[in-house]
């Protein structure tokens, strides 16, 4: 039986494995564990995992984003489905869970994708998302 549930700290290894399999940068495990704990406790963040008979095979992190200059929205901040389980409806189910949360809050659902991840763009367009703008992300490393 498959289900989507809130993530717990014990999901750490599976979340990291799915993330690294998709090319998310490796980070210090204590930093990831600390961030995971913070997200689990957060009032504005939701972190769900997709679990089936083999365990956790995917996750989605969404955040309630409040801005001064625009209407609040729910943003998908990250999602990963282990490559062995892709194209089985898991990503669609996770996005649907985020969509339900957004609808419950009366907010739109948004996602940002790296400009080179064309398969990801196609996936989200197939989920009903449409392009509203292009932008640059600039970091200042301190």
């Amino acid at each position: 039986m498959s289900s989507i549930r809130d993530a717990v700290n014990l999901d750490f290894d599976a979340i990291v494995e799915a993330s690294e399999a998709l090319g998310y940068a490796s980070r210090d495990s204590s930093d990831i564990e600390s961030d995971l704990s913070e997200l689990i406790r957060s009032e504005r963040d939701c972190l769900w995992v997709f679990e089936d008979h083999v365990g956790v095979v995917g996750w989605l992190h969404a955040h309630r984003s409040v801005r001064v200059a625009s209407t609040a929205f729910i943003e998908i901040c990250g999602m990963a489905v282990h490559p062995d389980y892709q194209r089985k409806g898991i990503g669609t189910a996770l996005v649907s869970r985020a969509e339900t949360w957004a609808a419950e809050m009366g907010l739109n659902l948004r996602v940002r994708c790296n400009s080179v991840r064309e398969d990801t763009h196609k996936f989200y367009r197939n989920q009903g998302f449409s392009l509203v703008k292009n932008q640059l992300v600039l970091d200042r490393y301190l």
Side-chain angles (χ1 to χ4, degrees), residues 26-59:
S26 295
R27 298 174 49 212
D28 182 81
S29 63
S30 64
D31 290 341
I32 298 170
E33 200 162 15
S34 174
D35 291 346
L36 178 62
S37 292
E38 183 176 335
L39 291 173
I40 289 169
R41 291 189 315 268
S42 171
E43 297 275 332
R44 289 190 177 209
D45 293 271
C46 288
L47 180 59
W48 298 289
V49 295
F50 187 98
E51 186 173 41
D52 72 2
H53 66 282
V54 299
V56 171
V57 296
W59 60 267

Side-chain angles (χ1 to χ4, degrees), residues 4 50 57-60 76 79-82 85-98 123-124 127 129:
I4 294 174
F50 187 98
V57 296
W59 60 267
L60 185 143
I76 295 172
M79 179 175 71
V81 175
H82 193 283
Y85 296 90
Q86 291 179 358
R87 292 175 175 65
K88 297 179 187 293
I90 295 169
T92 298
L94 287 164
V95 169
S96 179
R97 180 63 190 95
F123 169 80
Y124 282 112
Q127 302 306 308
F129 289 82

Side-chain angles (χ1 to χ4, degrees), residues 1 11 17 19 22 38 56-57 65 76 80 83 90 92 104-105 108-109 113 117-118 121 128 131 138-139:
M1 186 170 141
D11 296 323
E17 183 179 343
S19 302
L22 286 186
E38 183 176 335
V56 171
V57 296
S65 185
I76 295 172
I90 295 169
T92 298
E104 289 168 356
M105 302 288 284
N108 289 331
L109 183 59
C113 304
R117 297 184 73 182
E118 293 180 13
H121 306 163
L131 180 65
L138 307 167
D139 280 339

